[in-house]
Amino acid sequence: MRYNYIVIEREYASGGRRIGELVAENLGMPCYGIEILEMAAEKQGVSVEYLAELEENAGGSLLYSLYKMSSIVSGGDATASEQLNRDEIEIIRKLSGNGPAVFVGRSASIALKGRKDTLRVFIHADEEFRFSRAKEYGIDESKVKSTLKKYDKRRENYYKLSTSMNWKDISHYDLVLNSATMGIDKCAEIILDCVKS
């Protein structure tokens, strides 16, 4: 097998988590996503909800950027968001030591940076497709649009905090797939073809 690790970043409600699960099931390997956040919460002795809130608010404002600049200059301690990122990277590296795996989100590409046996994938979809999937998650139709925006911004901010790079910059990925055009199953199939070739 050419790749031992598959890292999937994805827009909210694009099906990235499901695609990761299908790939992992087919290859007989574990799929980690929210589980990483749960392990970080256990390590820090805090709730998953608290850490999810940290991710959501990570690096998203001018005030935060100014604070970080002054903190770096003064040699200040890591923020709670930065500590979460460090813990997640440590957890991902530890999990990767257990053998091949699929990682969904959590900026896992940084934890596995430099590994030639890692396939980096970005899943996106048009708003109509994502809107429909978000409603399936039980989100009230009147809140779907704001929820899509909220979670995409959260992921973008957390990725930027983790990597100092733009989340949607396709040069960071080996493969970019549109799940609305291809469908969830076909996206998983394409990733499997890449992994097995």
Side-chain angles (χ1 to χ4, degrees):
M1 195 163 61
R2 185 175 173 192
Y3 298 106
N4 290 314
Y5 306 102
I6 299 98
V7 173
I8 299 175
E9 293 293 339
R10 75 281 185 226
E11 290 180 325
Y12 183 74
S14 64
R17 172 70 184 184
R18 183 64 191 137
I19 292 166
E21 290 169 346
L22 288 170
V23 169
E25 286 167 17
N26 187 283
L27 295 172
M29 56 175 67
C31 182
Y32 301 107
I34 190 69
E35 297 83 0
I36 296 164
L37 191 66
E38 291 166 353
M39 290 176 204
E42 185 177 334
K43 178 179 179 183
Q44 293 186 15
V46 298
S47 71
V48 172
E49 294 76 19
Y50 170 75
L51 292 186
E53 183 72 22
L54 278 179
E55 284 184 344
E56 187 171 328
N57 295 313
S61 70
L62 174 62
L63 184 61
Y64 176 85
S65 299
L66 292 173
Y67 162 75
K68 278 315 300 163
M69 287 171 60
S70 66
S71 177
I72 290 167
V73 170
S74 66
D77 293 332
T79 65
S81 295
E82 290 168 322
Q83 187 58 51
L84 170 59
N85 181 252
R86 290 176 188 170
D87 287 346
E88 287 185 338
I89 286 173
E90 181 183 313
I91 290 164
I92 291 164
R93 287 181 178 154
K94 185 176 179 183
L95 290 170
S96 71
N98 295 335
V102 175
F103 295 97
V104 179
R106 318 257 83 83
S107 305
S109 59
I110 296 309
L112 302 176
K113 187 177 181 179
R115 294 193 67 128
K116 294 185 189 278
D117 61 346
T118 302
L119 179 67
R120 290 164 183 81
V121 181
F122 187 81
I123 307 292
H124 68 102
D126 62 39
E127 192 172 277
E128 183 181 344
F129 180 84
R130 296 169 63 213
F131 193 94
S132 175
R133 284 186 59 82
K135 286 194 300 185
E136 290 173 19
Y137 298 169
I139 298 169
D140 184 87
E141 189 167 338
S142 66
K143 297 180 180 176
V144 169
K145 197 167 189 171
S146 63
T147 301
L148 293 176
K149 187 174 182 179
K150 171 185 169 182
Y151 280 95
D152 282 348
K153 189 67 177 169
R154 168 182 161 179
R155 290 172 181 179
E156 178 183 11
N157 287 343
Y158 193 67
Y159 191 84
K160 189 166 192 169
L161 174 70
S162 305
T163 67
S164 300
M165 296 183 284
N166 183 331
W167 177 56
K168 290 188 176 182
D169 182 344
I170 63 170
S171 68
H172 304 306
Y173 304 102
D174 304 306
L175 186 61
V176 177
L177 299 171
N178 183 333
S179 56
T181 303
M182 295 181 215
I184 302 293
D185 291 339
K186 187 63 175 177
C187 286
E189 204 178 296
I190 291 168
I191 295 169
L192 287 166
D193 285 346
C194 291
V195 170
K196 292 176 176 179
S197 65

